[in-house]
Amino acid sequence: MDGTISAAGITGRTRVYGILADPIYHVKAPAVMGALFARHGVDGVLVPLHVTADGLAAVMDGLRHLRNFGGFIATVPHKTTMTGLCDALTREAEQIGAVNCVRREADGRMIGTMLDGIGFVEALRASGLEPRGRNAALAGAGGAASAIAFALAEAGVARLTILNRTAGRAQALVDRLRAAYPTLVVAAEGAQPDHDLLVNGTSLGMRPQDAAPFDLAALHDGQFVAEAIMEPEMTPLLAAALAAGCRIQKGLPMLERQIALMARHMGAL
Amino acid sequence: MDGTISAAGITGRTRVYGILADPIYHVKAPAVMGALFARHGVDGVLVPLHVTADGLAAVMDGLRHLRNFGGFIATVPHKTTMTGLCDALTREAEQIGAVNCVRREADGRMIGTMLDGIGFVEALRASGLEPRGRNAALAGAGGAASAIAFALAEAGVARLTILNRTAGRAQALVDRLRAAYPTLVVAAEGAQPDHDLLVNGTSLGMRPQDAAPFDLAALHDGQFVAEAIMEPEMTPLLAAALAAGCRIQKGLPMLERQIALMARHMGAL
């Protein structure tokens, strides 16, 4: 057993799960979830489901009527729209205003949750960094960054600074965080050297020509630098952090943690 | 390579197919199609989709919007209803009034066909029996039997006798066959010893207490006896036929032939 099951192992009793995305070709979840199912002896299979925004409501309605369908992962560009298509949302999905995993209940009801941030925090803890009491800076105010921000707040960081090129978006996220966590010290600006936890929640670093999400020259040892980007595995930010003597966390562990959380939300584990 | 692919082999580029049924637990198509895909290097996976009659229209509409979905096998109890849900039917599906395989075109249109009978005839030919010019008797006038009847007519049997406990149903099938094949000699009665090809298209023989679909005492060598039942593999009819010196064909080759025809209809091969 090498963590794989044979497709010939799919029977009439196998439970089906999906990942909804557009485009679909790049998704890694079928392989990662397949390996998780195999490790845990789960008789399930997760398949790619390519759906565009205009077909999403019809696909959701069809999936409601598939009685052996356990749920799905939702990714770009469906995370926000999905909040309006689910029958109920977890607190995380409500707060963040986005859904990345949906459980289909036996009666066809769809329960959405948002695990991007929780997966990130679990990965941090697995790397030995407890966020509680930390002074964190987060680059970005989009979907992934918002999820990470709420999860860091929930995990009890002492201060959270949101850095974003569009100041209005950063302030909007700060306002939402303040409403949900009144005792959290949160701001849309701040000097980087003060922070002991730096998190990149933007897409900056995916392409070689991207600007850095933080001032790389100001990185110093004692800081922990975490990345949400999975490809490339070693972003310029992570490389600079390593060179400056920081501890780092790559993007992939966040996905791996999430896959297990997703399997649990969908009732597969 | 032992005819299997690993579930870890499902990627974002894997094309998805389904089998729609209620109940679903007993379906064999995911394994058989999986093995066929593996043999031919097809990057596809066929999953069980459990849908009841009341959810069928919604599921069809959802599947139309899944852009990497190639099509599905339809089985009990959806074969007849499916004729009204497809956008177009092949001649076989029109004639028989049932659909057992649907291709999803790139624009979401659903094209239904009926391959039960053609699969049966292809399996006969593979066994060395050419139906053309034969004097055939068929037990049954239901869905499977109708499909076999039309395929035998299309294959050019000289005479076709339909035997059915409900005479009205047999006559209705005879009338439809006559309309489609005016030169075929077809009747709803007839003496068994005249026939050189006997086909069981009923479910008689699945349970030990079932009556025989033909008069077993009248079987004699020179006859070819074919079975549509897959379980048990050796029905009382086949056992009696072997004992009488007949050549026989079991039910499974019909399914195996069909799977390849279905893969072709869905554009996978």
Side-chain angles (χ1 to χ4, degrees), chain B residues 31-111:
Chain B
V32 182
M33 190 66 86
L36 182 77
F37 284 174
R39 279 200 304 277
H40 290 268
V42 173
D43 185 6
V45 61
L46 187 140
V47 293
L49 300 174
H50 183 195
V51 53
T52 51
D54 61 332
L56 195 59
V59 168
M60 277 286 275
D61 196 40
L63 296 177
R64 282 177 205 280
H65 291 88
L66 287 184
R67 299 191 170 210
N68 62 338
F69 188 77
F72 60 89
I73 299 169
T75 185
V76 180
H78 303 313
K79 290 188 186 188
T80 308
T81 328
M82 200 56 74
T83 57
L85 294 173
C86 289
D87 299 297
L89 300 179
T90 61
R91 190 167 61 99
E92 289 76 17
E94 288 272 17
Q95 280 181 337
I96 298 158
V99 160
N100 79 338
C101 186
V102 175
R103 173 176 68 250
R104 182 191 173 281
E105 308 249 295
D107 61 1
R109 276 166 42 91
M110 295 293 201
I111 315 298

Side-chain angles (χ1 to χ4, degrees), chain A residues 150-240:
Chain A
F150 275 92
L152 287 172
E154 180 72 22
V157 292
R159 275 173 50 205
L160 182 54
T161 305
I162 310 295
L163 307 164
N164 198 57
R165 272 176 302 183
T166 316
R169 251 183 123 183
Q171 191 56 50
L173 175 55
V174 165
D175 293 344
R176 286 195 294 136
L177 285 163
R178 278 194 184 130
Y181 298 92
T183 63
L184 174 70
V185 181
V186 56
E189 55 194 312
Q192 180 183 328
D194 297 310
H195 298 111
D196 46 13
L197 171 59
L198 303 176
V199 182
N200 180 27
T202 74
S203 61
L204 293 171
M206 291 183 83
R207 298 166 310 174
Q209 69 270 31
D210 285 342
F214 296 104
D215 177 5
L216 301 186
L219 293 169
H220 60 81
D221 63 4
Q223 290 183 313
F224 191 104
V225 177
E227 180 65 90
I229 291 172
M230 273 163 250
E231 258 189 56
E233 195 188 347
M234 184 58 67
T235 58
L237 170 64
L238 291 178

Side-chain angles (χ1 to χ4, degrees), chain A residues 5-7 11 48 50 67-68, chain B residues 5-7 11 16 48 50 67-68:
Chain A
I5 59 166
S6 72
T11 73
H50 183 196
R67 299 189 169 212
N68 62 338
Chain B
I5 60 166
S6 72
T11 74
V16 180
H50 183 195
R67 299 191 170 210
N68 62 338

Side-chain angles (χ1 to χ4, degrees), chain A residues 28-211:
Chain A
K28 304 269 183 276
V32 182
M33 189 67 85
L36 183 77
F37 284 174
R39 279 200 303 278
H40 291 267
V42 173
D43 185 7
V45 62
L46 188 140
V47 293
L49 300 174
H50 183 196
V51 54
T52 52
D54 61 333
L56 195 58
V59 167
M60 278 285 275
D61 196 40
L63 296 178
R64 281 177 207 280
H65 291 89
L66 286 183
R67 299 189 169 212
N68 62 338
F69 188 79
F72 60 89
I73 300 169
T75 186
V76 180
H78 303 311
K79 290 187 186 187
T80 308
T81 329
M82 199 56 74
T83 57
L85 294 174
C86 288
D87 299 297
L89 299 178
T90 62
R91 189 167 63 100
E92 289 76 15
E94 288 272 17
Q95 281 180 337
I96 299 158
V99 160
N100 79 338
C101 187
V102 175
R103 174 176 66 252
R104 182 192 173 280
E105 307 248 297
D107 62 0
R109 278 165 41 90
M110 295 291 203
I111 316 298
T113 191
M114 181 62 186
L115 299 166
D116 275 343
I118 304 171
F120 175 80
V121 165
E122 283 210 357
L124 272 187
R125 289 195 174 119
S127 299
L129 189 98
E130 171 52 55
R132 182 165 300 280
R134 296 281 170 175
N135 181 0
L138 172 67
S146 295
I148 291 171
F150 275 92
L152 287 172
E154 180 72 22
V157 292
R159 275 173 50 205
L160 182 54
T161 305
I162 310 295
L163 307 164
N164 198 57
R165 272 176 302 183
T166 316
R169 251 183 123 183
Q171 191 56 50
L173 175 55
V174 165
D175 293 344
R176 286 195 294 136
L177 285 163
R178 278 194 184 130
Y181 298 92
T183 63
L184 174 70
V185 181
V186 56
E189 55 194 312
Q192 180 183 328
D194 297 310
H195 298 111
D196 46 13
L197 171 59
L198 303 176
V199 182
N200 180 27
T202 74
S203 61
L204 293 171
M206 291 183 83
R207 298 166 310 174
Q209 69 270 31
D210 285 342

Side-chain angles (χ1 to χ4, degrees), chain A residues 11-31:
Chain A
T11 73
R13 298 187 191 273
T14 303
R15 217 161 158 71
V16 180
Y17 303 86
I19 175 166
L20 271 59
D22 176 39
I24 193 75
Y25 66 89
H26 63 291
V27 298
K28 304 269 183 276

